[in-house]
């Protein structure tokens, strides 16, 4: 029971953090265009700056995410959650103060630098926290519930944006970011990362036990090439999941890098219409992950749920790309009620691909590896899609979004080949020990 109570604090932490970050999304396109190209609905500079930012963030995350995963395995999830949640406050404070050109560039630089070191880390550390405390057979459903809380925050955040002015949006977001940090530090217990070493007499004591105190050895926590290759070689399922993760993130980053500029140009969407669109996406995601996933996952299995989610991801991207009227994007957004199955199932599949003796210890490493692959996709996607958004080879305003849909199709085809492994592998430690007498944690 105490574990459920501990997870409730994690869910609230994720909700508050995502609320603060999601509520600025509908407003940032208008802010960017107003700062860089005042009075225009089309701005090549904004498109290329957004693409360059995403590529740099992806490059930084590729290096940092596996490191954060390893450090969280050693020093605790709560300790590592504190860092990105603290850093995320500062960019919001800048735009809360002013959104003129020079302040926007200050926000742009600071956001890029901070996101290079922390983008996506809160989400995957939260996933690792869940995996620490939830058995395998319930993990996909709990991952879906946590994603549902994130989707709910998406709804409430965008609904708040719909009611607030642009300046008030960033001020409230900055305040909520601080509140989420304080809530996490006060209420969230440290995760118990290894059931086998807990010597406490009760389940409550185990959950509340702090992470072990160890001497800070940064370079011994850096993941080696052998560690990453080991995860890919020893589990065919993990390798296939890695390929799926790469292509679906190429597709998602390509979609969201250009979607708002595309809708702004084609249908003159503004902050309020972006918020309406995202509210639909959030409600669909909440229904999917809080209601449908816990019911369907035990019946269908994670592998089939992953394939179904990816199929509908392809469908909604293609529908965006051929939108012929302003109502079509809203219809496409409704398809995300099924498309959102994909990522929780993918993360759950990846979390099960370590040996039983290391099942909890290696979860952060496995999640960090998947996040690093996603980060690499975030480098490739903007470099490929930004030119297509601004300069398609022929007149087709949704061309870059259509190509994103093709990348999602590749992910779908690969997901069909994923099968539940007959038994978990347990030889990563053997490979690692052959190159080092002191195993990485």
């Amino acid at each position: 029971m105490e574990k459920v109570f501990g997870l409730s604090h994690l869910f609230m932490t994720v909700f508050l953090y995502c609320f603060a970050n999601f509520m600025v999304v509908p407003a940032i396109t208008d802010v960017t265009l107003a700062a860089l190209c005042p009075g225009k609905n089309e701005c090549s500079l904004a498109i290329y700056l957004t693409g360059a930012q995403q590529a740099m963030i992806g490059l930084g995350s590729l290096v940092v995410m596996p490191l954060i995963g390893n450090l969280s395995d050693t020093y605790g999830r709560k300790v590592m959650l504190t860092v990105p949640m603290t850093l995320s406050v500062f960019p919001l404070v800048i735009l809360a103060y002013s959104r003129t050109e020079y302040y926007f560039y200050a926000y742009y630089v600071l956001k890029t630098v901070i996101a290079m070191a922390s983008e996506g880390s809160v989400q995957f550390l939260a996933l690792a926290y869940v995996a620490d405390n939830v058995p395998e057979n319930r993990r996909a459903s709990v991952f879906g519930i946590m994603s549902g809380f994130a989707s709910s925050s998406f709804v409430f955040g965008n609904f708040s944006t719909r009611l607030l002015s642009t300046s008030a949006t960033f001020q409230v977001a900055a305040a909520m970011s601080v509140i989420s940090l304080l809530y996490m530090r006060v209420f969230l217990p440290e995760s118990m990362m290894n059931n086998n070493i807990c010597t406490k007499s009760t389940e409550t004591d185990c959950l509340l036990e702090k992470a072990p105190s160890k001497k800070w050895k940064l370079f011994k926590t850096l993941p080696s090439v052998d560690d990453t290759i080991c995860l890919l070689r020893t589990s065919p399922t993990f390798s296939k999941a890695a390929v799926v993760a790469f292509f679906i993130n190429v597709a998602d980053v390509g979609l969201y890098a250009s979607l708002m500029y595309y809708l702004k140009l084609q249908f003159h969407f503004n902050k309020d219409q972006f918020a309406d669109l995202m509210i639909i996406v959030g409600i669909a995601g909440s229904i999917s992950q809080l209601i449908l996933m816990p019911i369907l996952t035990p019946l269908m299995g994670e592998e089939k749920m992953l394939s179904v989610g990816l199929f509908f991801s392809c469908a909604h991207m293609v529908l965006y790309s051929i939108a012929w009227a302003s109502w079509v994007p809203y219809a496409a957004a409704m398809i995300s009620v099924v498309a959102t199955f994909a990522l929780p199932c993918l993360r759950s599949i990846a979390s099960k691909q370590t040996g039983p003796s290391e099942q909890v210890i290696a979860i952060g490493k496995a999640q960090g590896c998947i996040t690093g692959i996603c980060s690499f996709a975030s480098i490739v996607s903007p470099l490929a899609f930004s030119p297509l958004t601004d300069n398609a080879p022929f007149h087709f305003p949704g061309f870059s979004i259509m190509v994103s849909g093709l990348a999602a199709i590749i992910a779908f085809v690969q997901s069909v080949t994923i099968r539940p492994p007959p038994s978990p592998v347990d030889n990563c430690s053997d490979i690692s020990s052959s190159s080092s007498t002191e195993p990485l944690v």
Side-chain angles (χ1 to χ4, degrees), residues 410-429:
I410 296 174
F412 165 71
V413 172
Q414 180 66 20
S415 74
V416 174
T417 67
I418 295 178
R419 297 290 184 270
S423 61
V425 297
D426 193 22
N427 55 357
C428 285
S429 58

Side-chain angles (χ1 to χ4, degrees), residues 42-373:
E42 184 177 7
C43 183
S44 297
L45 178 60
I47 294 172
Y48 282 106
L49 280 180
T50 301
Q53 183 184 54
Q54 291 177 331
M56 288 186 286
I57 291 172
L59 180 62
S61 298
L62 180 64
V63 176
V64 174
M65 287 303 104
L67 172 60
I68 292 178
N70 283 353
L71 290 174
S72 74
D73 286 336
T74 304
Y75 299 101
R77 315 300 185 199
K78 183 175 180 178
V79 172
M80 298 309 300
L81 275 169
T82 303
V83 178
M85 293 184 69
T86 301
L87 293 176
S88 66
V89 174
F90 298 105
L92 296 174
V93 169
I94 291 176
L95 290 187
Y97 181 75
S98 178
R99 290 152 305 283
T100 58
E101 181 179 3
Y102 293 112
Y103 282 96
F104 173 80
Y105 280 117
Y107 160 83
Y108 178 87
V109 172
L110 187 60
K111 173 68 174 178
T112 302
V113 172
I114 290 175
M116 286 177 69
S118 63
E119 183 77 6
S121 58
V122 170
Q123 286 81 1
F124 96 76
L125 287 171
L127 290 168
Y129 189 106
V130 169
D132 292 341
N133 296 283
V134 176
E136 282 189 17
N137 60 345
R138 295 181 53 222
R139 202 172 286 165
S141 296
V142 179
F143 281 173
I145 291 172
M146 190 179 72
S147 297
F149 272 85
S151 296
S152 299
S153 71
F154 193 75
V155 174
F156 287 104
N158 285 286
F159 183 74
S160 300
T161 304
R162 189 71 172 79
L163 301 177
L164 297 172
S165 65
T166 300
S167 60
T169 295
F170 286 97
Q171 291 164 4
V172 172
M176 290 300 298
S177 186
V178 173
I179 291 171
S180 69
L181 173 62
L182 295 176
Y183 183 93
M184 185 273 295
R185 291 302 305 169
V186 172
F187 294 107
L188 184 68
E190 180 57 87
S191 175
M192 184 270 294
M193 295 181 293
N194 192 341
N195 290 319
N196 296 325
I197 64 173
C198 181
T199 60
K200 302 297 180 181
S201 59
T202 67
E203 187 178 65
T204 301
D205 292 335
C206 284
L207 183 64
L208 298 178
E209 182 178 16
K210 300 298 180 181
S213 176
K214 297 187 179 181
K215 184 177 179 180
W216 186 269
K217 296 180 180 179
L218 176 62
F219 293 103
K220 289 189 178 181
T221 65
L222 283 168
S224 68
V225 175
D226 284 345
D227 294 321
T228 302
I229 293 176
C230 168
L231 287 169
L232 296 174
R233 286 175 52 193
T234 56
S235 173
T237 300
F238 187 87
S239 300
K240 293 174 182 178
V243 174
V244 172
F246 175 79
F247 280 104
I248 193 57
N249 276 273
V250 166
D252 284 343
V253 172
L255 172 67
Y256 293 110
S258 56
L259 179 61
M260 289 189 177
Y261 295 111
Y262 165 71
L263 295 177
K264 184 84 172 177
L265 176 63
Q266 286 295 104
F267 305 114
H268 307 289
F269 274 29
N270 57 28
K271 173 181 74 71
D272 293 340
Q273 290 166 312
F274 288 140
D276 293 338
L277 186 67
M278 291 177 188
I279 288 170
I280 294 173
V281 172
I283 292 174
S286 299
I287 294 172
S288 169
Q289 292 161 345
L290 291 175
I291 299 175
L292 298 181
M293 278 198 69
I295 296 173
L296 296 178
T297 302
L299 299 176
M300 297 178 60
E302 296 160 2
E303 293 75 20
K304 290 182 180 178
M305 292 285 286
L306 173 63
S307 297
V308 170
L310 290 173
F311 176 81
F312 282 95
S313 291
C314 307
H316 100 281
M317 290 180 190
V318 171
L319 191 55
Y320 274 131
S321 70
I322 61 174
W324 59 90
S326 59
W327 61 266
V328 177
Y330 298 103
M334 295 180 68
I335 298 179
S336 62
V337 72
V338 183
T340 50
F341 289 166
L343 292 182
C345 291
L346 179 65
R347 290 287 189 170
S348 180
I349 291 169
S351 75
K352 297 178 181 179
Q353 304 309 311
T354 55
S357 66
E358 300 185 320
Q359 181 63 42
V360 180
I361 293 176
I363 284 170
K365 186 183 295 183
Q367 295 291 345
C369 180
I370 288 292
T371 303
I373 292 168

